[in-house]
Amino acid sequence: MDLLITAAARALSAGDPLAALKRVALRDDAPALAVRGIAMAQLGDLTRAKELLRSAVRAFGPKEPVARARCVVAEAEIALVSRDLGRSSQMVKAARATLAASGDRTNAAHAGYLEARHLLLIGHLDEAEAVLDEVDVNVLPHPSRVGRELVMAGIAIRRIRAGSARAALERAGRAAEDARIPALAAEVEQAVRAFEAPAARSITRDGERLLRLDEVEALLASGTLIVDACRNVVRAGTTIIPLATRPVLLSLVRALAEVWPADVPREALLKRAFRALHADETHRARLRVEIARLREAIKPLATLSATRDGFVLQPRTAIEVAVLAPPVDGDHGEVLALLGDGEAWSSSALALALSVSTRTVQRALEELARDSRVEAFGRGRARRWIASSVPGFPTSLLLPAAGISG
């Protein structure tokens, strides 16, 4: 057994990369390259870390598949941090299978947590939860347990389950105390602050107010007819009508819901849905067409009636109507929601997470950059984007998920 490598590995597990480097800094054998790569990742030099880990994979060679798999898992974790989402899933799946087959339960469990973390980032909540269920928590090291609980909390927040999210954050806090790594404790504290901050706004006839996640959950369970402008749906109870691909209809129904039970004049609807400053007969004809489409789309939940001046929304069974909106309105909120985690994202990773084309994301980033809401650094494939200022509220309700549940 190489005592220096063992001591360096213990230093890494304790969150002390400098102590690990002191033991292996002058060595270029495969185990030392792997340790140096992980240490550089902990110090934040992700580019150098990837180079060292890839050198370690080559140095180990095909006759040491388990050692190679461990390096691949370490590189996959770096890929997640640097938001290289296209590669990390492929890397970690193969490595996890190799580690499990070799009996390395600890690293296989860590790889499973990383796979679930990747799935959460791209909105595959059911798959992420299924992978976490396969992970043996008892063999996970304390730092990985913290990450696992934060993934569990993220899944619960995206599903708007405040109780489950709070319980997962409490478990993450206890695991961070056991790990005794200040950076992990700070990460948990940041997640708790985001959870406790306002998650959305409720807009009703009585005005606006900010809602925490538990209040959003209570509103969704109340039977109120809700125009959910965070997820672009109209919902009441378990009935959900998606309007993400029909922005004009969403704009119209939101305008009607914000002043319910009053009606909205036709001129106001034209300005809201079509941005028409001077309405002519063409605009009025288009409004009639879109109102007819909206009436058909929301038929299970409400009807639309014409009044002398405009139109009014009439719920079928709900006794209240509300709009659920982001804490701050603005274009491209889903892009800002992802950048709100404080990490640097590539446009391709944003596109993968949002299930849209890369060019769509690039146009959104260009508009946000003109408004000084995002910043870029690097060139070509190394170009990354960050939010100019991280918002003081969670934005996860804006993020898409593969299946929205009430």
Side-chain angles (χ1 to χ4, degrees):
M1 180 179 292
D2 190 325
L3 296 181
L4 282 177
I5 293 295
T6 301
R10 287 175 179 167
L12 288 177
S13 65
D16 190 354
L18 293 177
L21 285 173
K22 288 179 181 178
R23 290 167 171 81
V24 298
L26 300 179
R27 291 175 51 172
D28 288 322
D29 55 289
L33 288 170
V35 169
R36 287 167 57 194
I38 297 171
M40 295 307 295
Q42 290 188 4
L43 290 170
D45 190 345
L46 302 184
T47 301
R48 180 59 176 155
K50 285 191 290 185
E51 293 173 356
L52 289 165
L53 287 167
R54 289 172 184 173
S55 296
V57 169
R58 291 192 295 269
F60 278 122
K63 293 184 179 180
E64 298 187 68
V66 175
R68 287 165 59 94
R70 290 169 182 163
C71 292
V72 168
V73 169
E75 188 180 351
E77 188 160 12
I78 294 171
L80 281 173
V81 172
S82 57
R83 296 302 187 258
D84 187 1
L85 303 184
R87 295 188 58 205
S88 57
S89 178
Q90 300 169 4
M91 295 162 57
V92 77
K93 282 183 180 179
R96 181 186 176 200
T98 299
L99 293 168
S102 70
D104 188 349
R105 298 172 59 207
T106 297
N107 282 306
H110 180 67
Y113 141 66
L114 293 178
E115 186 178 346
R117 184 177 167 189
H118 173 267
L119 291 167
L120 172 62
L121 281 173
I122 62 176
H124 294 187
L125 307 186
D126 290 339
E127 295 175 40
E129 195 168 44
V131 171
L132 285 182
D133 288 342
E134 297 172 0
V135 172
D136 186 351
V137 182
N138 296 321
V139 302
L140 275 177
H142 288 302
S144 299
R145 292 186 190 184
V146 176
R148 178 187 181 276
E149 296 302 338
L150 290 177
V151 172
M152 294 281 287
I155 293 172
I157 290 171
R158 295 277 288 275
R159 288 178 168 163
I160 317 179
R161 296 174 182 172
S164 298
R166 185 179 294 105
L169 289 171
E170 290 173 354
R171 294 193 299 270
R174 291 193 292 269
E177 290 178 3
D178 294 336
R180 297 181 181 179
I181 298 176
L184 284 176
E187 186 176 355
V188 174
E189 290 175 3
Q190 181 181 1
V192 171
R193 287 195 298 271
F195 170 75
E196 293 176 345
R201 282 180 301 146
S202 170
I203 305 173
T204 67
R205 56 185 173 181
D206 298 323
E208 298 185 15
R209 70 185 185 96
L210 292 170
L211 303 179
R212 298 188 309 274
L213 188 69
D214 56 345
E215 294 174 311
V216 173
E217 184 178 20
L219 176 63
L220 297 181
S222 67
T224 298
L225 176 63
I226 300 169
V227 177
D228 187 343
C230 295
R231 302 204 174 193
N232 300 330
V233 301
V234 179
R235 61 197 303 166
T238 59
T239 303
I240 299 174
I241 300 171
L243 294 177
T245 60
R246 310 177 78 175
V248 171
L249 300 193
L250 182 67
S251 180
L252 289 171
V253 72
R254 176 173 174 173
L256 292 163
E258 285 179 349
V259 301
W260 179 88
D263 64 346
V264 180
R266 290 172 176 81
E267 290 72 16
L269 290 174
L270 288 168
K271 292 179 182 178
R272 186 72 171 267
F274 310 132
R275 299 180 180 179
L277 298 179
H278 304 287
D280 56 25
E281 190 56 37
T282 301
H283 289 115
R284 296 188 183 92
R286 186 182 175 192
L287 177 63
R288 289 194 292 271
V289 170
E290 297 298 344
I291 286 291
R293 290 173 176 166
L294 177 61
R295 185 179 284 120
E296 181 64 25
I298 65 172
K299 184 186 295 185
L301 296 177
T303 62
L304 296 178
S305 297
T307 65
R308 185 185 65 180
D309 297 322
F311 294 91
V312 63
L313 183 67
Q314 295 180 324
R316 291 192 182 277
T317 58
I319 60 175
E320 293 291 337
V321 174
V323 172
L324 189 65
V328 177
D329 273 325
D331 293 334
H332 312 304
E334 68 284 354
V335 174
L336 289 171
L338 287 172
L339 296 177
D341 65 2
E343 300 292 347
W345 288 71
S346 66
S347 57
S348 59
L350 290 167
L352 180 62
L354 296 172
S355 299
V356 297
S357 71
T358 301
R359 185 58 193 136
T360 297
V361 169
Q362 289 171 343
R363 285 194 293 266
L365 290 169
E366 289 165 2
E367 291 182 24
L368 291 169
R370 285 196 294 270
D371 294 336
S372 300
R373 303 180 72 183
V374 301
E375 300 174 13
F377 59 90
R379 292 181 179 276
R381 295 174 64 87
R383 191 174 182 82
R384 294 293 185 270
W385 295 85
I386 59 173
S388 298
S389 60
V390 178
F393 46 80
T395 52
S396 55
L397 296 188
L398 290 170
L399 298 177
I404 299 174
S405 58

